[in-house]
Amino acid sequence: MTAKVHPNVAVPPSLGQPPAVAPAPAPADEEPVTLTVWRKSLLFNGRGFTVFDARGDLVYRVDSYASDSRAEVVLMDAAGCPVLTLRRCRNLIGLGLGSDQWLVYPGEETRRLQPLYAVKRAAQYMRGGAKSMAHVAACSGGAAAKTGAGGYEVEGSYLRRRCTVYDERRQAVAEVLPKETVGSDVFRLVVQPGMEVSLAMAVVLALDQMFGKPSLLRSWSS
């Protein structure tokens, strides 16, 4: 994926590094991280996401040109360095009609390394039979599974920008919330201590591919 880099943008030291796949328990006094997510790229005529922290500093970017039609999305830090890559799983045999699955890789390497996580759309949700929108599972053989990372469930409505990510203990670890009066293209992502912020953002990107209208990938390839 071709991406423009803005070297004059400072990278926040706490969020600009590649994510740890199994974070240690957070200190009791650590605060949640609140991000403002703008469904728009910094590139001229590009499509993607621009993400700011509570101070208004750029934290993450997703940039692409309209002609890019590959089934992958690269989450970058403020300086344009790849943090995580989401790639659509093409082997959907046996997953059922309407199934959609995205694999999350470290950095921009999707060929040699095992994926960290798989984000799969819940088939029953599409038929109105379940609260769960998507399942997030550590991939066997990947670095996340080797460190004992658990899975997550996503419930709610991405179209309404109201959904919650739960860990295996049913504790809410991340939330997507609307920002009043600014429309659905700008919303908040609140991440609790103990979940990697970059992973939470990767889940948002996967949800956008599965439930966004139009999805980021369809916008890119249009």
Side-chain angles (χ1 to χ4, degrees):
M1 173 173 292
T2 304
K4 291 184 179 178
V5 177
H6 302 269
N8 58 326
V9 180
V11 182
S14 60
L15 297 177
Q17 303 298 323
V21 293
D29 58 350
E30 188 173 343
E31 296 294 326
V33 173
T34 300
L35 302 178
T36 296
V37 182
W38 186 23
R39 203 168 177 265
K40 183 176 177 64
S41 171
L42 291 173
L43 297 181
F44 181 70
N45 287 336
R47 294 181 173 90
F49 282 81
T50 306
V51 185
F52 302 94
D53 64 15
R55 300 185 302 271
D57 295 328
L58 180 65
V59 179
Y60 295 118
R61 299 164 39 193
V62 176
D63 299 333
S64 182
Y65 298 101
S67 60
D68 192 335
S69 60
R70 290 185 298 173
E72 71 174 36
V73 180
V74 179
L75 176 66
M76 298 180 291
D77 64 20
C81 298
V83 178
L84 294 171
T85 295
L86 285 78
R87 177 175 285 273
R88 174 172 280 156
C89 180
R90 297 185 180 277
N91 183 17
L92 298 179
I93 298 176
L95 293 181
L97 183 64
S99 294
D100 197 0
Q101 181 169 261
W102 287 78
L103 302 178
V104 181
Y105 293 85
E108 201 173 9
E109 177 57 66
T110 62
R111 303 297 182 186
R112 293 176 299 172
L113 299 179
Q114 292 291 326
L116 301 174
Y117 288 92
V119 185
K120 180 183 176 183
R121 181 172 59 187
Q124 291 297 324
Y125 180 84
M126 301 303 296
R127 295 192 287 269
K131 295 188 300 181
S132 179
M133 301 173 59
H135 312 285
V136 184
C139 293
S140 176
K146 291 177 181 178
T147 55
Y152 303 91
E153 291 287 328
V154 186
E155 297 180 2
S157 171
Y158 180 74
L159 287 178
R160 295 187 178 93
R161 304 298 189 253
R162 288 190 179 277
C163 46
T164 304
V165 180
Y166 295 95
D167 65 13
E168 293 180 321
R169 296 172 294 175
R170 288 293 299 174
Q171 293 183 336
V173 292
E175 288 184 283
V176 171
L177 300 168
K179 288 183 73 73
E180 302 298 332
T181 73
V182 294
S184 61
D185 281 346
V186 181
F187 54 93
R188 289 184 295 151
L189 173 63
V190 181
V191 185
Q192 299 297 327
M195 183 176 191
E196 282 293 331
V197 179
S198 55
L199 174 59
M201 189 61 211
V203 172
V204 169
L205 296 179
L207 294 177
D208 194 78
Q209 297 299 328
M210 296 172 182
F211 303 103
K213 293 185 177 180
S215 77
L216 186 61
L217 184 62
R218 289 195 294 271
S219 295
W220 288 355
S221 59
S222 61

